[in-house]
Amino acid sequence: MPEMTRRRALQASGLAAAAAALPARGAAAAAPRPARGRIDTHHHAVPPKMREWAVEQGIIPAEGGPAWAQWTLESTLRTMNANGIAAGVASAPVPAEIFQDRATAVAGVRVCNESLAGLVHDNPTRFGFFANVAMLHPDLAVRQAAHALDDLGADGVLLNTSADGHYLGDPMFEPLFAELDRRRAVVFTHPVAPKGIVEVPLVGDWLGDFLLDTTRTALSLIAAGTLDRHPDISIILSHGGGFLPYMAGRAERWGREDNGPDPAKIRPALRRFHYDTALPTSPYASPTLLNAAGADRVLFGTDWPANSAHEVTLNTRDFDRDPALSRRAHQAITRGNALRLLPNLASRLR
């Protein structure tokens, strides 16, 4: 595995309704809306067997390493309980390049998915999970997705925003999208740093590069017509969709001046995606996201444990005080939208 990939693995490791939710100019922060029963759809986990495998592969060191590698069930439940999180949809965003070797792809994906399925089995009312697939082996990925959804009870499939430089609109992923569309599956996308991008000293790749990769893959899906061909897939864009909601007007210009998609397709495409709040949202980000997508397309997310317990608490408190959110929007984002999108998990929580 190239050193750059390893190092990055360590680091990484309607409109009316929205308008009604927006604050008046100069409005003060809303009164807190403390919530119980939140569903966290951007929630990572590294159960023991998965961690052992990651150490064996050299993805993380046996001791120390990034914060997310220190995952424990005890600290996770403590953080969830402290923030009113009833359930987390666990995922393990292993960079696709880790699974480049086919034998590693078979064994590694199995360990990841069985570890997460075990977490759910032992804690059925606290967790769901998004399954890994070997993106660089599309035939294998189709079978892994089927096994995870049919046999392991996965709530959806995790796809990196790019895999060895291939974005999700790439034809190589068409068989996988066709199968996921047939199943009316949920896809949770998680970013990596764009391949070959120049690093900026003192600026972590999670600050801007991850958001860029999410934006790139969303535009790739729009340009390739993947959303049109597969209308029954539900796709979640992490971190508030990266820059997509903010630059949608530029995407409309794309079709007028640079052979891009029909400008009339851009705004409907924005509402084809779901978005999570793990940017995190804020009084300056929320109005744009709500206007672009609507509160019914937004899901609560914390990015635990890449975000520390302290950061999860701060972000959750700020979310509860966000003046852009009406009470109805707040309730939908914290729980209602996830219950509608994830019926397997919903059946265990109701």
Side-chain angles (χ1 to χ4, degrees), residues 116-290:
L116 294 175
L119 176 66
V120 176
H121 179 271
D122 294 342
N123 306 272
T125 63
R126 301 309 304 267
F127 296 101
F129 83 100
F130 293 127
N132 290 76
V133 297
M135 294 176 63
L136 294 174
H137 304 277
D139 62 316
L140 185 57
V142 169
R143 296 199 297 273
Q144 290 169 331
H147 174 60
L149 295 167
D150 292 342
D151 303 322
L152 299 181
D155 294 280
V157 171
L158 180 149
L159 297 179
N160 294 135
T161 48
S162 60
D164 197 27
H166 300 278
Y167 286 86
L168 293 183
D170 192 296
M172 71 180 290
F173 300 123
E174 183 62 20
L176 178 58
F177 274 103
E179 177 65 12
L180 295 175
D181 183 67
R182 185 182 72 80
R183 293 171 171 274
R184 306 177 71 89
V186 174
V187 171
F188 172 65
T189 66
H190 195 278
V192 294
K195 184 176 182 180
I197 197 164
V198 174
E199 295 184 19
V200 182
L202 307 179
V203 179
D205 52 11
W206 61 274
L207 281 167
D209 299 344
F210 282 17
L211 306 183
L212 174 60
D213 220 53
T214 294
T215 307
R216 283 182 163 196
T217 216
L219 294 173
S220 172
L221 288 166
I222 295 169
T226 306
L227 300 180
D228 296 329
R229 289 192 303 278
H230 305 301
D232 292 326
I233 296 179
S234 297
I235 300 175
I236 304 170
L237 299 178
S238 294
H239 308 121
F243 306 126
L244 182 68
Y246 188 75
M247 56 77 65
R250 192 174 184 90
E252 291 176 344
R253 174 189 167 197
W254 181 23
R256 292 191 295 268
E257 298 191 352
D258 196 24
N259 299 315
D262 181 348
K265 290 188 173 184
I266 299 300
R267 294 190 185 187
L270 295 180
R271 289 191 55 83
R272 273 282 282 113
F273 294 112
H274 298 263
Y275 306 79
D276 70 42
T277 65
L279 183 60
T281 52
S282 64
Y284 32 90
S286 299
T288 299
L289 179 58
L290 291 171

